[in-house]
Amino acid sequence: MTASDLEVLAANEAFYGAFAQTDLATMDRLWAQRAPVACIHPGWGPIIGRDQVMQSFQALFERGGARVACFDASAYLFGDSAYVICVELVGDTRLIATNVFTREDRQWRLVHHQSGAFAASFPELGRRAQAIN
Amino acid sequence: MTASDLEVLAANEAFYGAFAQTDLATMDRLWAQRAPVACIHPGWGPIIGRDQVMQSFQALFERGGARVACFDASAYLFGDSAYVICVELVGDTRLIATNVFTREDRQWRLVHHQSGAFAASFPELGRRAQAIN
């Protein structure tokens, strides 16, 4: 694991820390200022644009936030971009998330978050492939 | 919309074309050769690594593929990276997907795909926020 991998994972951890602490100011600092920003909360439609994404977190936080814990994060870097895949636990619900980062002003900042249901183990593959045909 | 936006959207369309036509050779060409590759099919766990991702498509295609249609794609570029958000229709099921691209050898190539359930309209926000607290 490189130093950059660790930096990206630290930014990812800070994202879940801000979530847990309903810390909107930190959340705001963690997202890109210049790159385009979007967010797909689990089950929701896409939220496009920095202001709209921050408003979605503000709305969540004003209602007490979401008890989201992050596990098994792994980072994948390509140039000044990266994505992190991790498991989220929201109460008893297990979700799978992608967090996309870009390096701005030497900081890894979020450009996109998608979280959704995480149901299956790999042997599910065949059954699901049959089910959708 | 810039020329690069259109290139990314064309690469995104080619991805769904290869899906629809169960064209593994084209699918293979659409994914990054050097950047790290991963994929989260709807409801599945993450598939990490180029060979593993291609094997997942091969397994899907050998079973006849998935009738995935893509709608409402929008592209968001930052440097030589981009993400596309789009709605997928698999039969009667509506999914929401993120496709992450990088520019390699002047081609936009996929590095990551996540697709998951797309349930809600924005007024759901308040109810969901309350439900998870």
Side-chain angles (χ1 to χ4, degrees):
Chain A
M1 197 178 291
T2 67
S4 293
D5 290 332
L6 291 171
E7 287 170 13
V8 171
L9 290 172
N12 192 66
E13 198 168 316
F15 169 66
Y16 289 100
F19 225 129
Q21 295 163 34
T22 65
D23 181 345
L24 195 62
T26 297
M27 184 61 88
D28 188 274
R29 279 196 298 274
L30 293 171
W31 287 76
Q33 295 289 342
R34 294 186 293 280
V37 161
C39 184
I40 303 171
H41 296 296
W44 299 12
I47 300 170
I48 309 295
R50 197 177 202 290
D51 290 349
Q52 290 77 3
V53 170
M54 288 310 130
Q55 284 165 19
S56 78
F57 284 111
Q58 185 174 9
L60 275 167
F61 291 176
E62 283 174 355
R63 290 170 176 82
R67 293 197 192 90
V68 184
C70 168
F71 296 92
D72 295 339
S74 52
Y76 306 93
L77 277 72
F78 48 109
D80 282 333
S81 303
Y83 59 93
V84 169
I85 295 173
C86 59
V87 175
E88 296 178 353
L89 268 183
V90 182
D92 292 335
T93 302
R94 196 165 61 140
L95 303 168
I96 185 85
T98 296
N99 298 317
V100 184
F101 293 84
T102 188
R103 188 147 38 190
E104 281 186 349
D105 308 324
R106 300 186 181 181
Q107 300 287 321
W108 287 99
R109 293 186 180 139
L110 278 155
V111 292
H112 183 50
H113 165 74
Q114 176 168 358
S115 176
F118 179 9
S121 55
F122 288 0
E124 272 286 288
L125 186 148
R127 289 196 292 281
R128 286 192 62 86
Q130 288 171 329
I132 56 181
N133 281 293
Chain B
M1 197 176 291
T2 68
S4 293
D5 290 333
L6 291 172
E7 287 170 13
V8 171
L9 289 173
N12 191 67
E13 198 168 314
F15 169 66
Y16 288 101
F19 225 129
Q21 295 164 33
T22 65
D23 181 345
L24 195 62
T26 297
M27 183 62 87
D28 188 274
R29 280 196 297 276
L30 293 171
W31 287 76
Q33 294 289 342
R34 294 186 292 281
V37 161
C39 183
I40 303 172
H41 296 296
W44 299 11
I47 300 171
I48 309 294
R50 198 178 201 291
D51 290 350
Q52 289 78 1
V53 170
M54 288 308 132
Q55 284 164 19
S56 78
F57 284 112
Q58 184 173 12
L60 275 168
F61 290 177
E62 285 174 354
R63 290 170 176 81
R67 292 195 193 92
V68 184
C70 168
F71 296 92
D72 294 338
S74 51
Y76 306 94
L77 277 71
F78 48 110
D80 282 332
S81 302
Y83 59 93
V84 170
I85 296 174
C86 58
V87 175
E88 297 179 353
L89 267 183
V90 182
D92 291 335
T93 304
R94 197 166 60 141
L95 303 167
I96 183 86
T98 296
N99 297 316
V100 185
F101 293 84
T102 187
R103 189 147 38 190
E104 281 187 349
D105 309 324
R106 301 186 180 180
Q107 300 288 320
W108 288 99
R109 291 185 181 141
L110 278 154
V111 292
H112 183 50
H113 165 74
Q114 176 167 0
S115 176
F118 179 9
S121 55
F122 288 1
E124 271 287 288
L125 186 147
R127 290 195 293 281
R128 287 191 62 88
Q130 288 169 330
I132 55 181
N133 282 293

